[in-house]
Amino acid sequence: CEDAASAMEHPGAGDDQAEASSRARALAARAEERKTAQLATAKLPADADPAVFADSMFTWANTLTSSGANLPFVLPQRVDRLPGGFEMAFIRLDDDTNEPYSVGELRAEVEPINDGKAHALIVRGCGDMDRLVDVPLIMQSMVPAIRKAALIASTK
């Protein structure tokens, strides 16, 4: 998940020294509370194309709030494409600066398993999982999306 150390090294152009130091401390505190947990694993069928599967899962994640389903989420989200899947960040506004920041992320990536002979979708959660109240709903809706992506990615 996101590494706050690089953000601390470059706090932003035009910041004065005290503001930059304060921002760095806040980012460090947020980074310390970020814990990672594996939330799900789904082995892909042998005939599934991993790239097609990953694209299908990204499309699903990216349309969760803009599709006709419009699931009722508490936290706004930002979905970014990764080479083998997606990362979904849950956004809050900083009370002091009113700038958006990520409370935590879901990261789903297709990874090789069994010495590269097979592939699996690995879903990890990062951040304060107690504050990510939308994760159970997303994980529940992910099950049919995984099944559909597997069908789409099958070459037979």
Side-chain angles (χ1 to χ4, degrees):
C1 294
E2 188 175 314
D3 179 20
S6 63
M8 290 187 296
E9 291 172 12
H10 307 288
D15 289 346
D16 64 16
Q17 201 72 10
E19 185 177 334
S21 176
S22 173
R23 182 178 166 112
R25 281 192 304 276
L27 286 170
R30 285 190 190 129
E32 282 184 25
E33 68 184 34
R34 299 173 89 65
K35 297 177 180 93
T36 302
Q38 187 166 325
L39 302 177
T41 303
K43 185 177 177 187
L44 275 62
D47 66 336
D49 180 332
V52 173
F53 182 88
D55 283 345
S56 182
M57 290 304 298
F58 168 76
T59 300
W60 165 80
N62 201 34
T63 59
L64 272 179
T65 58
S66 62
S67 70
N70 285 329
L71 297 173
F73 295 119
V74 174
L75 296 172
Q77 296 140 25
R78 181 193 74 234
V79 178
D80 295 314
R81 183 183 296 269
L82 299 175
F86 67 89
E87 181 177 80
M88 178 183 292
F90 298 91
I91 308 298
R92 281 237 157 124
L93 293 178
D94 185 280
D95 291 335
D96 297 328
T97 65
N98 209 30
E99 290 184 30
Y101 71 93
S102 174
V103 177
E105 297 87 26
L106 279 183
R107 190 176 184 103
E109 294 180 280
V110 176
E111 299 177 8
I113 58 172
N114 300 336
D115 295 326
K117 297 175 185 170
H119 290 86
L121 177 71
I122 311 294
V123 182
R124 294 178 180 91
C126 178
D128 184 356
M129 298 307 286
D130 292 334
R131 293 176 65 191
L132 301 180
V133 296
D134 296 320
V135 169
L137 179 60
I138 291 169
M139 294 303 296
Q140 183 179 11
S141 67
M142 189 181 291
V143 173
I146 291 170
R147 289 186 183 123
K148 186 174 181 180
L151 288 173
I152 291 169
S154 291
T155 56
K156 289 184 181 176

